[in-house]
Amino acid sequence: MTDTTIKPLPEILRPLVRPRRLRTTPAMRRMVAETRVSPAQLMLPAFVAEGLTEPREISAMPGQYQHTLDSIKKLAEQAAEAGIAGIDLFGVPTEKDEIGSQAWNPEGILNKGIAAVRDAVGDDLVICTDTCLDEFTSHGHCGALTEDGRVDNDATLPLYAAMAVSQARAGAHVVSPSGMMDGQIAVIREALDDAGFTDVAILAYSAKYASAFFGPFREAVDCSLKGDRKAYQQDPANRIEGMRETLLDVAEGADMVMVKPASHYLDVLSDVAAEVTIPVAAYQVSGEYAMLESAAAKGWIDRRRCISESLTSIVRAGADIVLTYWAIEAAGWLREEF
Ligand code: PBG
């Protein structure tokens, strides 16, 4: 028979140190919070699509839309009103080709989107733009292909340079190369400077992994990719290599660096934040969004608390800037309390 008598706590085992004192009330917890998320560090990724007459909801990303030129302007105005940092624009063209030439066409949908947003909000938001060809190529890869179908690093670099310059011309404050080609930051920096855009900054997707969490994004941009990007994006197994890629981008002239995805790469993010002396961004990607939204829709998790916790964790790990599809909504919560 077990003795179920509960004995009083012996005097000698009474805790001398009690961390719980600092958790007693909401005001106390707020005062000692080590991490604070601010709307000023949130950036909203958004999609502008050609040939739409009205916004089209992305099925794997409920609440996110492919926008028209008109609705992307309204979204940017909302973002400015919400006090978030900026908007990161992706384009969805109707016409794709082998090298993605709509990407640097001034009349291409992304460049028109940039101009529309700049026209709507001016300098009130940081207007950032994706500088990568996967939305624009018929094969869906992030660059031009060799005869035998591999992504040709050096043939792609001049295309990125042309794209970045066209984006600067359209009104982007920041270009963000996300294609993981070697040497892309140096080539883009030189092209921007040559064209007189010395003040346009580069947010480098430095440690970007070949992640299955990009899944819903492929629908968002009507990507035609078959296969994967493992020959240019990083292996999820590699942490040290994330630092190597980051340091190379810093040396090539990146103004800010990024780790992507965010939640499953917090170790990489923390390494990068400890090492570099420029702002560090993290991208909470489409799959991270879809997972929380779908579990919340089923009533399995508390939506707001899980989103808040995920953003807090990304900032706690060292992100100065967070790209998140929840940017506007979270900014609304942050004005009350997180
Ligand atoms: C490439 C790019 C991708 C994402 C952002 N930029 C897709 C990819 O690399 O396959 C993914 C973003 C997300 O999943 O939210 N242009």
Side-chain angles (χ1 to χ4, degrees), residues 46-47 55-67 92 216-222 286 289 325:
F47 308 97
R56 186 178 81 78
E57 190 167 25
I58 300 157
S59 67
M61 300 175 72
Q64 301 302 310
Y65 294 82
Q66 286 187 346
H67 284 279
V92 187
F217 178 92
R218 302 271 161 84
E219 180 207 334
V221 297
D222 298 338
S286 57
Y289 179 87
Y325 297 99

PDB file of all heavy atoms in Angstrom, residues 46-47 55-67 92 216-222 286 289 325:
ATOM      1  N   ALA A  46       3.484  41.051 -50.100  1.00  0.00           N
ATOM      2  CA  ALA A  46       2.197  41.168 -50.800  1.00  0.00           C
ATOM      3  C   ALA A  46       2.390  40.901 -52.288  1.00  0.00           C
ATOM      4  O   ALA A  46       3.468  41.127 -52.843  1.00  0.00           O
ATOM      5  CB  ALA A  46       1.610  42.558 -50.566  1.00  0.00           C
ATOM      6  N   PHE A  47       1.324  40.433 -52.907  1.00  0.00           N
ATOM      7  CA  PHE A  47       1.383  39.979 -54.300  1.00  0.00           C
ATOM      8  C   PHE A  47       0.541  40.865 -55.205  1.00  0.00           C
ATOM      9  O   PHE A  47      -0.628  41.114 -54.910  1.00  0.00           O
ATOM     10  CB  PHE A  47       0.852  38.541 -54.383  1.00  0.00           C
ATOM     11  CG  PHE A  47       1.518  37.618 -53.413  1.00  0.00           C
ATOM     12  CD1 PHE A  47       0.930  37.314 -52.185  1.00  0.00           C
ATOM     13  CD2 PHE A  47       2.771  37.073 -53.698  1.00  0.00           C
ATOM     14  CE1 PHE A  47       1.564  36.475 -51.271  1.00  0.00           C
ATOM     15  CE2 PHE A  47       3.412  36.237 -52.786  1.00  0.00           C
ATOM     16  CZ  PHE A  47       2.806  35.936 -51.570  1.00  0.00           C
ATOM     17  N   PRO A  55      -9.268  41.389 -56.519  1.00  0.00           N
ATOM     18  CA  PRO A  55      -8.316  40.571 -55.762  1.00  0.00           C
ATOM     19  C   PRO A  55      -8.774  39.117 -55.701  1.00  0.00           C
ATOM     20  O   PRO A  55      -9.961  38.850 -55.632  1.00  0.00           O
ATOM     21  CB  PRO A  55      -8.334  41.180 -54.354  1.00  0.00           C
ATOM     22  CG  PRO A  55      -8.934  42.525 -54.509  1.00  0.00           C
ATOM     23  CD  PRO A  55      -9.807  42.501 -55.712  1.00  0.00           C
ATOM     24  N   ARG A  56      -7.809  38.205 -55.767  1.00  0.00           N
ATOM     25  CA  ARG A  56      -8.139  36.772 -55.727  1.00  0.00           C
ATOM     26  C   ARG A  56      -7.499  36.164 -54.498  1.00  0.00           C
ATOM     27  O   ARG A  56      -6.284  36.248 -54.309  1.00  0.00           O
ATOM     28  CB  ARG A  56      -7.595  36.094 -56.990  1.00  0.00           C
ATOM     29  CG  ARG A  56      -7.986  34.633 -57.132  1.00  0.00           C
ATOM     30  CD  ARG A  56      -7.465  34.030 -58.432  1.00  0.00           C
ATOM     31  NE  ARG A  56      -6.056  33.636 -58.350  1.00  0.00           N
ATOM     32  CZ  ARG A  56      -5.607  32.519 -57.743  1.00  0.00           C
ATOM     33  NH1 ARG A  56      -6.456  31.690 -57.164  1.00  0.00           N
ATOM     34  NH2 ARG A  56      -4.324  32.234 -57.729  1.00  0.00           N
ATOM     35  N   GLU A  57      -8.313  35.547 -53.651  1.00  0.00           N
ATOM     36  CA  GLU A  57      -7.767  34.955 -52.427  1.00  0.00           C
ATOM     37  C   GLU A  57      -6.912  33.737 -52.775  1.00  0.00           C
ATOM     38  O   GLU A  57      -7.245  32.964 -53.676  1.00  0.00           O
ATOM     39  CB  GLU A  57      -8.883  34.573 -51.442  1.00  0.00           C
ATOM     40  CG  GLU A  57      -8.321  34.189 -50.072  1.00  0.00           C
ATOM     41  CD  GLU A  57      -9.391  34.098 -48.978  1.00  0.00           C
ATOM     42  OE1 GLU A  57     -10.567  33.865 -49.309  1.00  0.00           O
ATOM     43  OE2 GLU A  57      -9.014  34.242 -47.784  1.00  0.00           O
ATOM     44  N   ILE A  58      -5.806  33.586 -52.061  1.00  0.00           N
ATOM     45  CA  ILE A  58      -4.904  32.455 -52.277  1.00  0.00           C
ATOM     46  C   ILE A  58      -5.390  31.325 -51.371  1.00  0.00           C
ATOM     47  O   ILE A  58      -5.425  31.494 -50.153  1.00  0.00           O
ATOM     48  CB  ILE A  58      -3.457  32.871 -51.928  1.00  0.00           C
ATOM     49  CG1 ILE A  58      -3.029  34.048 -52.825  1.00  0.00           C
ATOM     50  CG2 ILE A  58      -2.501  31.706 -52.054  1.00  0.00           C
ATOM     51  CD1 ILE A  58      -1.905  34.887 -52.249  1.00  0.00           C
ATOM     52  N   SER A  59      -5.775  30.196 -51.952  1.00  0.00           N
ATOM     53  CA  SER A  59      -6.511  29.216 -51.138  1.00  0.00           C
ATOM     54  C   SER A  59      -5.671  28.636 -50.000  1.00  0.00           C
ATOM     55  O   SER A  59      -6.195  28.374 -48.928  1.00  0.00           O
ATOM     56  CB  SER A  59      -7.100  28.120 -52.017  1.00  0.00           C
ATOM     57  OG  SER A  59      -6.058  27.358 -52.580  1.00  0.00           O
ATOM     58  N   ALA A  60      -4.386  28.454 -50.245  1.00  0.00           N
ATOM     59  CA  ALA A  60      -3.558  27.883 -49.170  1.00  0.00           C
ATOM     60  C   ALA A  60      -3.089  28.945 -48.174  1.00  0.00           C
ATOM     61  O   ALA A  60      -2.379  28.640 -47.217  1.00  0.00           O
ATOM     62  CB  ALA A  60      -2.351  27.168 -49.762  1.00  0.00           C
ATOM     63  N   MET A  61      -3.473  30.208 -48.430  1.00  0.00           N
ATOM     64  CA  MET A  61      -3.110  31.293 -47.513  1.00  0.00           C
ATOM     65  C   MET A  61      -4.347  32.142 -47.238  1.00  0.00           C
ATOM     66  O   MET A  61      -4.438  33.285 -47.695  1.00  0.00           O
ATOM     67  CB  MET A  61      -1.999  32.168 -48.115  1.00  0.00           C
ATOM     68  CG  MET A  61      -0.720  31.398 -48.424  1.00  0.00           C
ATOM     69  SD  MET A  61       0.502  32.414 -49.268  1.00  0.00           S
ATOM     70  CE  MET A  61       1.033  33.495 -47.950  1.00  0.00           C
ATOM     71  N   PRO A  62      -5.307  31.580 -46.505  1.00  0.00           N
ATOM     72  CA  PRO A  62      -6.557  32.305 -46.276  1.00  0.00           C
ATOM     73  C   PRO A  62      -6.287  33.692 -45.698  1.00  0.00           C
ATOM     74  O   PRO A  62      -5.481  33.833 -44.781  1.00  0.00           O
ATOM     75  CB  PRO A  62      -7.323  31.417 -45.280  1.00  0.00           C
ATOM     76  CG  PRO A  62      -6.331  30.441 -44.751  1.00  0.00           C
ATOM     77  CD  PRO A  62      -5.252  30.300 -45.779  1.00  0.00           C
ATOM     78  N   GLY A  63      -6.965  34.695 -46.290  1.00  0.00           N
ATOM     79  CA  GLY A  63      -6.753  36.063 -45.814  1.00  0.00           C
ATOM     80  C   GLY A  63      -5.685  36.806 -46.600  1.00  0.00           C
ATOM     81  O   GLY A  63      -5.508  38.008 -46.433  1.00  0.00           O
ATOM     82  N   GLN A  64      -4.974  36.098 -47.490  1.00  0.00           N
ATOM     83  CA  GLN A  64      -3.962  36.740 -48.348  1.00  0.00           C
ATOM     84  C   GLN A  64      -4.441  36.676 -49.801  1.00  0.00           C
ATOM     85  O   GLN A  64      -5.069  35.711 -50.203  1.00  0.00           O
ATOM     86  CB  GLN A  64      -2.611  36.038 -48.215  1.00  0.00           C
ATOM     87  CG  GLN A  64      -2.061  36.043 -46.799  1.00  0.00           C
ATOM     88  CD  GLN A  64      -1.891  37.446 -46.244  1.00  0.00           C
ATOM     89  OE1 GLN A  64      -1.308  38.310 -46.881  1.00  0.00           O
ATOM     90  NE2 GLN A  64      -2.415  37.681 -45.047  1.00  0.00           N
ATOM     91  N   TYR A  65      -4.104  37.708 -50.552  1.00  0.00           N
ATOM     92  CA  TYR A  65      -4.657  37.857 -51.892  1.00  0.00           C
ATOM     93  C   TYR A  65      -3.597  38.128 -52.947  1.00  0.00           C
ATOM     94  O   TYR A  65      -2.557  38.710 -52.654  1.00  0.00           O
ATOM     95  CB  TYR A  65      -5.633  39.053 -51.901  1.00  0.00           C
ATOM     96  CG  TYR A  65      -6.848  38.817 -51.044  1.00  0.00           C
ATOM     97  CD1 TYR A  65      -6.789  39.027 -49.670  1.00  0.00           C
ATOM     98  CD2 TYR A  65      -8.034  38.345 -51.609  1.00  0.00           C
ATOM     99  CE1 TYR A  65      -7.898  38.787 -48.861  1.00  0.00           C
ATOM    100  CE2 TYR A  65      -9.148  38.100 -50.801  1.00  0.00           C
ATOM    101  CZ  TYR A  65      -9.062  38.326 -49.431  1.00  0.00           C
ATOM    102  OH  TYR A  65     -10.149  38.070 -48.638  1.00  0.00           O
ATOM    103  N   GLN A  66      -3.910  37.709 -54.165  1.00  0.00           N
ATOM    104  CA  GLN A  66      -3.231  38.296 -55.320  1.00  0.00           C
ATOM    105  C   GLN A  66      -3.977  39.603 -55.563  1.00  0.00           C
ATOM    106  O   GLN A  66      -5.197  39.601 -55.701  1.00  0.00           O
ATOM    107  CB  GLN A  66      -3.374  37.393 -56.543  1.00  0.00           C
ATOM    108  CG  GLN A  66      -2.524  36.145 -56.485  1.00  0.00           C
ATOM    109  CD  GLN A  66      -2.561  35.361 -57.797  1.00  0.00           C
ATOM    110  OE1 GLN A  66      -3.421  35.610 -58.657  1.00  0.00           O
ATOM    111  NE2 GLN A  66      -1.664  34.411 -57.950  1.00  0.00           N
ATOM    112  N   HIS A  67      -3.238  40.702 -55.623  1.00  0.00           N
ATOM    113  CA  HIS A  67      -3.888  42.012 -55.716  1.00  0.00           C
ATOM    114  C   HIS A  67      -3.884  42.579 -57.127  1.00  0.00           C
ATOM    115  O   HIS A  67      -3.025  42.245 -57.938  1.00  0.00           O
ATOM    116  CB  HIS A  67      -3.190  42.996 -54.778  1.00  0.00           C
ATOM    117  CG  HIS A  67      -3.562  42.781 -53.337  1.00  0.00           C
ATOM    118  ND1 HIS A  67      -4.721  43.266 -52.791  1.00  0.00           N
ATOM    119  CD2 HIS A  67      -2.944  42.087 -52.351  1.00  0.00           C
ATOM    120  CE1 HIS A  67      -4.802  42.900 -51.521  1.00  0.00           C
ATOM    121  NE2 HIS A  67      -3.725  42.182 -51.229  1.00  0.00           N
ATOM    122  N   VAL A  92       3.106  38.821 -60.156  1.00  0.00           N
ATOM    123  CA  VAL A  92       2.610  37.619 -60.815  1.00  0.00           C
ATOM    124  C   VAL A  92       2.219  37.988 -62.249  1.00  0.00           C
ATOM    125  O   VAL A  92       1.127  38.489 -62.485  1.00  0.00           O
ATOM    126  CB  VAL A  92       1.377  37.046 -60.071  1.00  0.00           C
ATOM    127  CG1 VAL A  92       0.966  35.699 -60.656  1.00  0.00           C
ATOM    128  CG2 VAL A  92       1.639  36.925 -58.574  1.00  0.00           C
ATOM    129  N   PRO A 216       2.833  26.938 -49.978  1.00  0.00           N
ATOM    130  CA  PRO A 216       1.682  27.763 -50.360  1.00  0.00           C
ATOM    131  C   PRO A 216       2.054  28.956 -51.242  1.00  0.00           C
ATOM    132  O   PRO A 216       1.258  29.410 -52.054  1.00  0.00           O
ATOM    133  CB  PRO A 216       1.123  28.235 -49.009  1.00  0.00           C
ATOM    134  CG  PRO A 216       1.610  27.228 -48.019  1.00  0.00           C
ATOM    135  CD  PRO A 216       2.954  26.791 -48.519  1.00  0.00           C
ATOM    136  N   PHE A 217       3.271  29.447 -51.094  1.00  0.00           N
ATOM    137  CA  PHE A 217       3.744  30.591 -51.900  1.00  0.00           C
ATOM    138  C   PHE A 217       3.731  30.262 -53.387  1.00  0.00           C
ATOM    139  O   PHE A 217       3.479  31.121 -54.222  1.00  0.00           O
ATOM    140  CB  PHE A 217       5.162  30.949 -51.456  1.00  0.00           C
ATOM    141  CG  PHE A 217       5.816  32.073 -52.220  1.00  0.00           C
ATOM    142  CD1 PHE A 217       5.713  33.381 -51.785  1.00  0.00           C
ATOM    143  CD2 PHE A 217       6.554  31.817 -53.371  1.00  0.00           C
ATOM    144  CE1 PHE A 217       6.330  34.416 -52.476  1.00  0.00           C
ATOM    145  CE2 PHE A 217       7.184  32.847 -54.066  1.00  0.00           C
ATOM    146  CZ  PHE A 217       7.068  34.148 -53.619  1.00  0.00           C
ATOM    147  N   ARG A 218       3.986  29.014 -53.694  1.00  0.00           N
ATOM    148  CA  ARG A 218       4.020  28.619 -55.109  1.00  0.00           C
ATOM    149  C   ARG A 218       2.665  28.870 -55.751  1.00  0.00           C
ATOM    150  O   ARG A 218       2.579  29.265 -56.912  1.00  0.00           O
ATOM    151  CB  ARG A 218       4.429  27.146 -55.237  1.00  0.00           C
ATOM    152  CG  ARG A 218       5.782  26.820 -54.603  1.00  0.00           C
ATOM    153  CD  ARG A 218       6.936  27.001 -55.575  1.00  0.00           C
ATOM    154  NE  ARG A 218       8.205  27.131 -54.864  1.00  0.00           N
ATOM    155  CZ  ARG A 218       8.948  26.101 -54.430  1.00  0.00           C
ATOM    156  NH1 ARG A 218       8.578  24.863 -54.679  1.00  0.00           N
ATOM    157  NH2 ARG A 218      10.070  26.323 -53.802  1.00  0.00           N
ATOM    158  N   GLU A 219       1.598  28.616 -55.010  1.00  0.00           N
ATOM    159  CA  GLU A 219       0.262  28.936 -55.530  1.00  0.00           C
ATOM    160  C   GLU A 219       0.097  30.455 -55.593  1.00  0.00           C
ATOM    161  O   GLU A 219      -0.443  30.991 -56.560  1.00  0.00           O
ATOM    162  CB  GLU A 219      -0.836  28.342 -54.643  1.00  0.00           C
ATOM    163  CG  GLU A 219      -2.237  28.654 -55.176  1.00  0.00           C
ATOM    164  CD  GLU A 219      -3.329  28.681 -54.092  1.00  0.00           C
ATOM    165  OE1 GLU A 219      -3.166  28.026 -53.054  1.00  0.00           O
ATOM    166  OE2 GLU A 219      -4.341  29.387 -54.311  1.00  0.00           O
ATOM    167  N   ALA A 220       0.599  31.130 -54.590  1.00  0.00           N
ATOM    168  CA  ALA A 220       0.420  32.577 -54.515  1.00  0.00           C
ATOM    169  C   ALA A 220       0.987  33.284 -55.739  1.00  0.00           C
ATOM    170  O   ALA A 220       0.470  34.299 -56.180  1.00  0.00           O
ATOM    171  CB  ALA A 220       1.077  33.116 -53.246  1.00  0.00           C
ATOM    172  N   VAL A 221       2.068  32.755 -56.300  1.00  0.00           N
ATOM    173  CA  VAL A 221       2.686  33.419 -57.456  1.00  0.00           C
ATOM    174  C   VAL A 221       2.518  32.602 -58.740  1.00  0.00           C
ATOM    175  O   VAL A 221       3.209  32.849 -59.734  1.00  0.00           O
ATOM    176  CB  VAL A 221       4.186  33.728 -57.212  1.00  0.00           C
ATOM    177  CG1 VAL A 221       4.346  34.708 -56.059  1.00  0.00           C
ATOM    178  CG2 VAL A 221       4.998  32.472 -56.959  1.00  0.00           C
ATOM    179  N   ASP A 222       1.606  31.648 -58.728  1.00  0.00           N
ATOM    180  CA  ASP A 222       1.376  30.788 -59.907  1.00  0.00           C
ATOM    181  C   ASP A 222       2.693  30.226 -60.443  1.00  0.00           C
ATOM    182  O   ASP A 222       2.945  30.255 -61.653  1.00  0.00           O
ATOM    183  CB  ASP A 222       0.674  31.570 -61.045  1.00  0.00           C
ATOM    184  CG  ASP A 222      -0.693  32.077 -60.632  1.00  0.00           C
ATOM    185  OD1 ASP A 222      -1.266  31.513 -59.682  1.00  0.00           O
ATOM    186  OD2 ASP A 222      -1.184  33.045 -61.250  1.00  0.00           O
ATOM    187  N   SER A 286       5.178  31.379 -46.101  1.00  0.00           N
ATOM    188  CA  SER A 286       3.799  30.969 -46.375  1.00  0.00           C
ATOM    189  C   SER A 286       3.387  29.708 -45.619  1.00  0.00           C
ATOM    190  O   SER A 286       2.263  29.609 -45.129  1.00  0.00           O
ATOM    191  CB  SER A 286       3.624  30.765 -47.874  1.00  0.00           C
ATOM    192  OG  SER A 286       4.560  29.809 -48.363  1.00  0.00           O
ATOM    193  N   TYR A 289       2.628  30.451 -42.069  1.00  0.00           N
ATOM    194  CA  TYR A 289       1.319  31.109 -42.027  1.00  0.00           C
ATOM    195  C   TYR A 289       0.198  30.085 -42.154  1.00  0.00           C
ATOM    196  O   TYR A 289      -0.736  30.035 -41.348  1.00  0.00           O
ATOM    197  CB  TYR A 289       1.252  32.113 -43.184  1.00  0.00           C
ATOM    198  CG  TYR A 289      -0.052  32.868 -43.316  1.00  0.00           C
ATOM    199  CD1 TYR A 289      -0.255  34.049 -42.605  1.00  0.00           C
ATOM    200  CD2 TYR A 289      -1.066  32.431 -44.164  1.00  0.00           C
ATOM    201  CE1 TYR A 289      -1.435  34.761 -42.731  1.00  0.00           C
ATOM    202  CE2 TYR A 289      -2.249  33.137 -44.290  1.00  0.00           C
ATOM    203  CZ  TYR A 289      -2.431  34.310 -43.575  1.00  0.00           C
ATOM    204  OH  TYR A 289      -3.604  35.012 -43.697  1.00  0.00           O
ATOM    205  N   TYR A 325       3.045  37.751 -43.030  1.00  0.00           N
ATOM    206  CA  TYR A 325       1.760  38.017 -43.668  1.00  0.00           C
ATOM    207  C   TYR A 325       0.748  38.562 -42.663  1.00  0.00           C
ATOM    208  O   TYR A 325      -0.310  39.034 -43.034  1.00  0.00           O
ATOM    209  CB  TYR A 325       1.244  36.738 -44.342  1.00  0.00           C
ATOM    210  CG  TYR A 325       2.177  36.265 -45.450  1.00  0.00           C
ATOM    211  CD1 TYR A 325       3.097  35.240 -45.236  1.00  0.00           C
ATOM    212  CD2 TYR A 325       2.161  36.888 -46.693  1.00  0.00           C
ATOM    213  CE1 TYR A 325       3.974  34.833 -46.233  1.00  0.00           C
ATOM    214  CE2 TYR A 325       3.031  36.496 -47.703  1.00  0.00           C
ATOM    215  CZ  TYR A 325       3.937  35.464 -47.462  1.00  0.00           C
ATOM    216  OH  TYR A 325       4.795  35.076 -48.456  1.00  0.00           O
TER     217      TYR A 325
END
